[in-house]
Amino acid sequence: MPADVPFSTTLFVRDSCLCLHVQRAARALARRFDVALRPVGVTSGQFSLLMALNRPHPPAMGQVAALLAMDRTTLTANLKPLQRRGSIEVRPGENDKRQRVLALTPAGCGVLAAAVPIWLATHRAVEGLLGEASPDRLRADLMALS
Amino acid sequence: MPADVPFSTTLFVRDSCLCLHVQRAARALARRFDVALRPVGVTSGQFSLLMALNRPHPPAMGQVAALLAMDRTTLTANLKPLQRRGSIEVRPGENDKRQRVLALTPAGCGVLAAAVPIWLATHRAVEGLLGEASPDRLRADLMALS
DNA sequence: GACAAATTAGTTGATGTCAACCTAAATTGG
DNA sequence: CCAATTTAGGTTGACATCAACTAATTTGTC
């Protein structure tokens, strides 16, 4: 017979579970940025992905997946809509033919440029939610978890 | 014509975006708890959901969705696998017939009881990742964001 | 009581997330 | 030089997430 889990245990887990707290914050923040970025036609995740590709030397998939702490197959799925809309280009690697090199197209660069001011304003508002808490401290804590 | 986004801007956004940092931490933590909880056959999200239902008076969907900072329709989708496996029961509300009241079954309670020790051990390990940082402080910061 | 407005939840379609399994290319060891 | 291993990525299936739209119920007002 499975023993019941005491309600006090439930309250303890609900109040202290970092996994739950982080998931909740992740959902709330994603929603907020999704709404703000809708005028330029990207989600918060797509914005982060496009931004990750804006660099002098186009990266391969593995590097990007590691940077975003994302499964490689998730990245594959996330690339599809961006590729379909012509925001990014996928090319085989030159030195290593196993690799897929990911590059922004000019159109993708334009989307990114339009999104940056929106990101700035939204991010300022989000940091405001923290009150006197330091965003740097929070970032450091989150970094330690991933 | 879309101006290029300077690489320095990319680095600034990547380093400071709380949305990205929270998403990364969320993915990493979910993976970690998913792996740990696999022996009892639930994911981290399902664990949080089952735990949210372990209370004296079975709640309606809206309350649970708000507690988890989750869209109502997401909750509907998340209930399906748990319902199929007989971990939870969905009944129409008695006072308000629009409501769907969510309750743990004895089987679901058993799953939850088996998961609690795993959660305890995993959570202790995760708090260890924070080093000298205070889990309470981090929780308070995350709470402010959602 | 009748009826408009607000509340509660479901459905559909697009996308995000990962594990398990698979292929191909590069690297390493003998 | 070649076989075993490692590495980079894809495919499939299950589940998670939300917006937009719809249906049923309750509530507030007259």
Side-chain angles (χ1 to χ4, degrees):
Chain A
M1 283 295 90
D4 278 5
V5 176
F7 189 47
S8 57
T9 299
T10 288
L11 292 178
F12 174 69
V13 172
R14 288 217 298 251
D15 287 347
S16 63
C17 184
L18 285 171
C19 188
L20 175 56
H21 277 78
V22 172
Q23 304 295 330
R24 287 199 305 197
R27 284 189 284 255
L29 278 187
R31 263 195 299 265
R32 190 177 187 116
F33 277 88
D34 283 353
V35 169
L37 289 170
R38 195 167 305 156
V40 292
V42 291
T43 65
S44 58
Q46 291 170 339
F47 172 75
S48 292
L49 176 47
L50 290 177
M51 198 56 100
L53 302 185
N54 184 50
R55 50 168 94 177
H57 297 291
M61 293 193 55
Q63 296 169 263
V64 177
L67 174 67
L68 302 178
M70 177 187 288
D71 193 273
R72 289 191 289 274
T73 65
T74 302
L75 180 55
T76 298
N78 292 1
L79 293 174
K80 285 183 184 175
L82 294 174
Q83 207 173 356
R84 205 162 46 233
R85 294 173 208 159
S87 297
I88 63 166
E89 225 180 38
V90 181
R91 298 190 300 257
E94 297 186 354
N95 298 330
D96 189 333
K97 290 180 182 173
R98 293 169 304 182
Q99 292 183 337
R100 295 299 181 100
V101 170
L102 308 176
L104 282 182
T105 62
C109 218
V111 170
L112 198 55
V116 167
I118 296 176
W119 176 86
L120 275 170
T122 308
H123 199 260
R124 201 173 301 121
V126 166
E127 287 193 340
L129 294 176
L130 288 175
E132 55 180 284
S134 149
D136 288 331
R137 202 185 59 189
L138 174 55
R139 275 187 284 269
D141 288 352
L142 292 169
M143 201 75 110
L145 296 179
S146 59
Chain B
M1 286 302 91
D4 280 4
V5 177
F7 189 47
S8 58
T9 299
T10 288
L11 292 179
F12 175 69
V13 173
R14 287 215 302 249
D15 287 347
S16 62
C17 185
L18 285 171
C19 187
L20 175 56
H21 277 79
V22 172
Q23 303 296 328
R24 286 200 303 197
R27 285 190 284 256
L29 277 188
R31 263 196 300 264
R32 191 178 187 116
F33 277 87
D34 284 352
V35 169
L37 290 170
R38 194 168 305 158
V40 292
V42 290
T43 64
S44 56
Q46 291 170 339
F47 172 76
S48 293
L49 176 47
L50 290 177
M51 197 57 99
L53 302 185
N54 184 50
R55 51 169 95 176
H57 297 291
M61 293 194 57
Q63 298 169 262
V64 177
L67 174 66
L68 302 178
M70 177 187 287
D71 193 273
R72 289 181 191 79
T73 64
T74 303
L75 180 55
T76 299
N78 292 1
L79 293 174
K80 285 182 183 173
L82 294 174
Q83 207 173 355
R84 206 162 46 232
R85 293 173 209 159
S87 298
I88 64 168
E89 224 179 39
V90 180
R91 299 189 299 258
E94 298 185 353
N95 298 331
D96 189 334
K97 290 179 181 173
R98 293 169 303 182
Q99 291 183 337
R100 295 300 180 98
V101 169
L102 308 176
L104 281 182
T105 62
C109 218
V111 169
L112 199 55
V116 167
I118 296 177
W119 177 85
L120 275 170
T122 307
H123 199 260
R124 200 174 301 118
V126 167
E127 287 193 339
L129 293 176
L130 288 176
E132 55 180 286
S134 150
D136 288 332
R137 201 186 59 189
L138 174 54
R139 274 187 285 269
D141 288 352
L142 291 170
M143 202 74 110
L145 295 180
S146 60

